[in-house]
């Protein structure tokens, strides 16, 4: 199966926000680990918090993560007012749809942004959202095995 994200960029900071806005996107759903913060770090950088804060003036912002570790999620929630949906079971669309409902936005007006084709991009495609694939925020610090697994997963992408 080949997955084609609508956009493929290096990081969240390289997303063409104007373009998304012009496409009618009203909500940005972000994956958490490796997209908004270093995997397992539980900590946003100041730059990322500022970025999300700036975006929140024009878009509804959601964090949609498959992470289900409650202590970790609690730590994340302490740092931001953004709605966090955890244990989202991406690429299953149920929690994605629930978030749409809560945010009063239809899936086609959502941009799903994440680093994993088989969870983040696939859930977005299944839901009919705009999809944005980003490189891992911590890719330079990942070990060989993690990078190799990432390489294999990315073979499913058609650019
Ligand atoms: Mg991720």
């Amino acid at each position: 199966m080949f997955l084609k994200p609508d956009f493929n960029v290096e990081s969240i900071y390289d997303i063409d926000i104007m373009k998304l806005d012009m496409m009618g996107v009203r909500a940005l759903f972000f994956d958490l680990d490796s997209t908004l913060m270093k995997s397992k770090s539980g900590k946003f950088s100041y730059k990322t918090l500022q970025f999300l804060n700036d975006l929140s003036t024009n878009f509804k912002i959601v964090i949609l993560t498959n992470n289900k570790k409650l202590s970790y999620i609690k730590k994340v929630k302490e740092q931001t007012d953004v709605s966090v949906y955890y244990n989202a079971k991406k690429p299953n669309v149920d929690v994605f749809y629930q978030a749409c409902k809560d945010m009063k936005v239809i899936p086609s007006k959502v941009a799903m942004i994440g680093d994993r084709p088989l969870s983040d991009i696939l859930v977005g495609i299944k839901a009919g959202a705009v999809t944005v694939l980003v490189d891992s925020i911590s890719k330079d610090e990942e070990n060989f095995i993690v990078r190799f697994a990432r390489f294999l997963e990315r073979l499913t992408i058609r650019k």
Side-chain angles (χ1 to χ4, degrees), residues 1 9 33 46 50 53 64 67 72 74 77 86 89 95 97 104 131 138 150:
M1 177 180 54
V9 295
D33 289 298
Y46 176 75
Q50 195 60 50
N53 198 42
L64 192 72
N67 200 313
Y72 190 85
K74 185 169 171 277
K77 284 183 171 177
Y86 60 96
K89 299 187 171 73
V95 178
Y97 284 150
K104 299 184 172 59
T131 51
S138 46
R150 221 171 248 295

mmCIF file of all heavy atoms in Angstrom, residues 1 9 33 46 50 53 64 67 72 74 77 86 89 95 97 104 131 138 150:
data_model
loop_
_atom_site.group_PDB
_atom_site.id
_atom_site.type_symbol
_atom_site.label_atom_id
_atom_site.label_comp_id
_atom_site.label_asym_id
_atom_site.label_seq_id
_atom_site.Cartn_x
_atom_site.Cartn_y
_atom_site.Cartn_z
ATOM 1 N N MET A 1 0.846 -1.199 0.000
ATOM 2 C CA MET A 1 0.000 0.000 0.000
ATOM 3 C C MET A 1 0.884 1.254 0.000
ATOM 4 O O MET A 1 1.822 1.357 0.770
ATOM 5 C CB MET A 1 -0.878 -0.006 1.254
ATOM 6 C CG MET A 1 -1.734 1.234 1.361
ATOM 7 S SD MET A 1 -2.770 1.220 2.834
ATOM 8 C CE MET A 1 -1.547 0.952 4.104
ATOM 9 N N VAL A 9 7.253 17.814 4.587
ATOM 10 C CA VAL A 9 8.185 18.882 4.958
ATOM 11 C C VAL A 9 9.131 18.423 6.054
ATOM 12 O O VAL A 9 8.936 17.372 6.663
ATOM 13 C CB VAL A 9 7.436 20.166 5.414
ATOM 14 C CG1 VAL A 9 6.656 20.767 4.261
ATOM 15 C CG2 VAL A 9 6.522 19.877 6.587
ATOM 16 N N ASP A 33 4.693 12.803 19.919
ATOM 17 C CA ASP A 33 6.095 12.365 20.003
ATOM 18 C C ASP A 33 6.793 12.377 18.647
ATOM 19 O O ASP A 33 6.267 11.860 17.664
ATOM 20 C CB ASP A 33 6.169 10.974 20.620
ATOM 21 C CG ASP A 33 5.825 11.002 22.096
ATOM 22 O OD1 ASP A 33 6.546 11.671 22.851
ATOM 23 O OD2 ASP A 33 4.815 10.389 22.485
ATOM 24 N N TYR A 46 10.483 25.838 24.102
ATOM 25 C CA TYR A 46 9.822 27.151 24.159
ATOM 26 C C TYR A 46 9.342 27.540 22.764
ATOM 27 O O TYR A 46 8.245 28.068 22.589
ATOM 28 C CB TYR A 46 10.801 28.195 24.714
ATOM 29 C CG TYR A 46 10.210 29.579 24.704
ATOM 30 C CD1 TYR A 46 9.248 29.945 25.658
ATOM 31 C CD2 TYR A 46 10.585 30.512 23.735
ATOM 32 C CE1 TYR A 46 8.673 31.205 25.630
ATOM 33 C CE2 TYR A 46 10.018 31.772 23.701
ATOM 34 C CZ TYR A 46 9.065 32.115 24.646
ATOM 35 O OH TYR A 46 8.497 33.357 24.612
ATOM 36 N N GLN A 50 5.489 28.435 21.638
ATOM 37 C CA GLN A 50 5.225 29.733 21.013
ATOM 38 C C GLN A 50 4.543 29.550 19.653
ATOM 39 O O GLN A 50 3.576 30.233 19.317
ATOM 40 C CB GLN A 50 6.559 30.475 20.837
ATOM 41 C CG GLN A 50 6.418 31.955 20.550
ATOM 42 C CD GLN A 50 5.697 32.687 21.675
ATOM 43 O OE1 GLN A 50 6.070 32.520 22.837
ATOM 44 N NE2 GLN A 50 4.684 33.449 21.352
ATOM 45 N N ASN A 53 1.015 28.460 20.135
ATOM 46 C CA ASN A 53 0.269 29.614 20.637
ATOM 47 C C ASN A 53 -0.078 30.585 19.506
ATOM 48 O O ASN A 53 -1.210 31.062 19.410
ATOM 49 C CB ASN A 53 1.110 30.301 21.714
ATOM 50 C CG ASN A 53 0.254 31.204 22.568
ATOM 51 O OD1 ASN A 53 -0.859 30.827 22.926
ATOM 52 N ND2 ASN A 53 0.751 32.388 22.862
ATOM 53 N N LEU A 64 -3.109 14.814 18.956
ATOM 54 C CA LEU A 64 -3.707 13.482 18.827
ATOM 55 C C LEU A 64 -2.573 12.468 18.906
ATOM 56 O O LEU A 64 -1.810 12.289 17.951
ATOM 57 C CB LEU A 64 -4.419 13.409 17.474
ATOM 58 C CG LEU A 64 -5.350 12.237 17.200
ATOM 59 C CD1 LEU A 64 -6.633 12.373 18.012
ATOM 60 C CD2 LEU A 64 -5.709 12.169 15.714
ATOM 61 N N ASN A 67 0.139 7.760 22.383
ATOM 62 C CA ASN A 67 0.721 7.551 23.704
ATOM 63 C C ASN A 67 -0.407 7.405 24.720
ATOM 64 O O ASN A 67 -1.388 8.131 24.672
ATOM 65 C CB ASN A 67 1.599 8.767 24.054
ATOM 66 C CG ASN A 67 2.595 8.456 25.149
ATOM 67 O OD1 ASN A 67 2.242 7.867 26.160
ATOM 68 N ND2 ASN A 67 3.839 8.861 24.943
ATOM 69 N N TYR A 72 2.748 10.631 31.669
ATOM 70 C CA TYR A 72 3.370 11.371 30.567
ATOM 71 C C TYR A 72 2.389 12.420 30.020
ATOM 72 O O TYR A 72 2.740 13.581 29.826
ATOM 73 C CB TYR A 72 3.756 10.371 29.472
ATOM 74 C CG TYR A 72 4.614 10.915 28.358
ATOM 75 C CD1 TYR A 72 5.995 10.973 28.483
ATOM 76 C CD2 TYR A 72 4.043 11.366 27.168
ATOM 77 C CE1 TYR A 72 6.787 11.447 27.453
ATOM 78 C CE2 TYR A 72 4.829 11.839 26.135
ATOM 79 C CZ TYR A 72 6.204 11.875 26.280
ATOM 80 O OH TYR A 72 6.978 12.346 25.262
ATOM 81 N N LYS A 74 -0.134 13.684 31.515
ATOM 82 C CA LYS A 74 -0.366 14.705 32.544
ATOM 83 C C LYS A 74 0.717 15.783 32.457
ATOM 84 O O LYS A 74 0.424 16.985 32.491
ATOM 85 C CB LYS A 74 -0.349 14.036 33.928
ATOM 86 C CG LYS A 74 -0.685 14.947 35.090
ATOM 87 C CD LYS A 74 -0.909 14.129 36.358
ATOM 88 C CE LYS A 74 -1.035 15.027 37.575
ATOM 89 N NZ LYS A 74 0.267 15.430 38.133
ATOM 90 N N LYS A 77 0.098 17.950 29.434
ATOM 91 C CA LYS A 77 -1.040 18.861 29.633
ATOM 92 C C LYS A 77 -0.700 20.042 30.542
ATOM 93 O O LYS A 77 -1.306 21.098 30.443
ATOM 94 C CB LYS A 77 -2.227 18.096 30.202
ATOM 95 C CG LYS A 77 -2.949 17.238 29.171
ATOM 96 C CD LYS A 77 -4.158 16.567 29.803
ATOM 97 C CE LYS A 77 -5.010 15.891 28.746
ATOM 98 N NZ LYS A 77 -6.146 15.164 29.362
ATOM 99 N N TYR A 86 -5.297 11.384 23.941
ATOM 100 C CA TYR A 86 -4.268 10.346 24.042
ATOM 101 C C TYR A 86 -4.883 8.976 23.780
ATOM 102 O O TYR A 86 -6.100 8.852 23.660
ATOM 103 C CB TYR A 86 -3.576 10.410 25.408
ATOM 104 C CG TYR A 86 -4.501 10.215 26.584
ATOM 105 C CD1 TYR A 86 -4.656 8.961 27.171
ATOM 106 C CD2 TYR A 86 -5.207 11.294 27.096
ATOM 107 C CE1 TYR A 86 -5.502 8.781 28.251
ATOM 108 C CE2 TYR A 86 -6.059 11.126 28.183
ATOM 109 C CZ TYR A 86 -6.211 9.861 28.750
ATOM 110 O OH TYR A 86 -7.060 9.692 29.809
ATOM 111 N N LYS A 89 -5.117 5.580 19.167
ATOM 112 C CA LYS A 89 -5.154 4.367 18.335
ATOM 113 C C LYS A 89 -5.086 4.635 16.830
ATOM 114 O O LYS A 89 -5.688 3.937 16.019
ATOM 115 C CB LYS A 89 -6.385 3.518 18.669
ATOM 116 C CG LYS A 89 -6.437 3.039 20.112
ATOM 117 C CD LYS A 89 -7.588 2.055 20.323
ATOM 118 C CE LYS A 89 -7.554 1.370 21.680
ATOM 119 N NZ LYS A 89 -7.937 2.258 22.787
ATOM 120 N N VAL A 95 -11.101 8.187 17.468
ATOM 121 C CA VAL A 95 -10.721 9.313 18.334
ATOM 122 C C VAL A 95 -10.544 10.584 17.494
ATOM 123 O O VAL A 95 -10.896 11.686 17.924
ATOM 124 C CB VAL A 95 -9.447 8.988 19.154
ATOM 125 C CG1 VAL A 95 -9.039 10.175 20.016
ATOM 126 C CG2 VAL A 95 -9.690 7.755 20.027
ATOM 127 N N TYR A 97 -12.283 11.363 14.878
ATOM 128 C CA TYR A 97 -13.647 11.877 14.661
ATOM 129 C C TYR A 97 -14.211 12.537 15.920
ATOM 130 O O TYR A 97 -14.915 13.541 15.842
ATOM 131 C CB TYR A 97 -14.574 10.755 14.188
ATOM 132 C CG TYR A 97 -14.393 10.360 12.737
ATOM 133 C CD1 TYR A 97 -14.652 9.055 12.311
ATOM 134 C CD2 TYR A 97 -13.964 11.280 11.781
ATOM 135 C CE1 TYR A 97 -14.483 8.685 10.975
ATOM 136 C CE2 TYR A 97 -13.789 10.916 10.455
ATOM 137 C CZ TYR A 97 -14.049 9.625 10.053
ATOM 138 O OH TYR A 97 -13.886 9.265 8.738
ATOM 139 N N LYS A 104 -15.897 20.965 16.682
ATOM 140 C CA LYS A 104 -16.893 21.464 15.728
ATOM 141 C C LYS A 104 -16.261 21.791 14.373
ATOM 142 O O LYS A 104 -16.450 22.869 13.810
ATOM 143 C CB LYS A 104 -17.633 22.685 16.296
ATOM 144 C CG LYS A 104 -18.395 22.380 17.578
ATOM 145 C CD LYS A 104 -19.195 23.586 18.045
ATOM 146 C CE LYS A 104 -20.102 23.247 19.207
ATOM 147 N NZ LYS A 104 -19.373 22.731 20.398
ATOM 148 N N THR A 131 -3.175 15.992 4.753
ATOM 149 C CA THR A 131 -2.119 15.314 5.516
ATOM 150 C C THR A 131 -0.750 15.963 5.307
ATOM 151 O O THR A 131 -0.382 16.327 4.190
ATOM 152 C CB THR A 131 -2.039 13.824 5.114
ATOM 153 O OG1 THR A 131 -1.950 13.729 3.684
ATOM 154 C CG2 THR A 131 -3.258 13.060 5.581
ATOM 155 N N SER A 138 13.567 14.722 16.349
ATOM 156 C CA SER A 138 14.814 14.308 17.022
ATOM 157 C C SER A 138 15.613 13.329 16.175
ATOM 158 O O SER A 138 16.381 12.531 16.687
ATOM 159 C CB SER A 138 14.482 13.685 18.380
ATOM 160 O OG SER A 138 13.425 12.770 18.280
ATOM 161 N N ARG A 150 12.398 3.671 10.532
ATOM 162 C CA ARG A 150 11.789 4.852 9.938
ATOM 163 C C ARG A 150 11.954 4.836 8.402
ATOM 164 O O ARG A 150 11.030 5.121 7.659
ATOM 165 C CB ARG A 150 12.497 6.094 10.479
ATOM 166 C CG ARG A 150 11.631 7.232 10.809
ATOM 167 C CD ARG A 150 12.461 8.271 11.529
ATOM 168 N NE ARG A 150 12.060 8.383 12.910
ATOM 169 C CZ ARG A 150 10.889 8.806 13.301
ATOM 170 N NH1 ARG A 150 9.977 9.163 12.435
ATOM 171 N NH2 ARG A 150 10.586 8.892 14.572
#
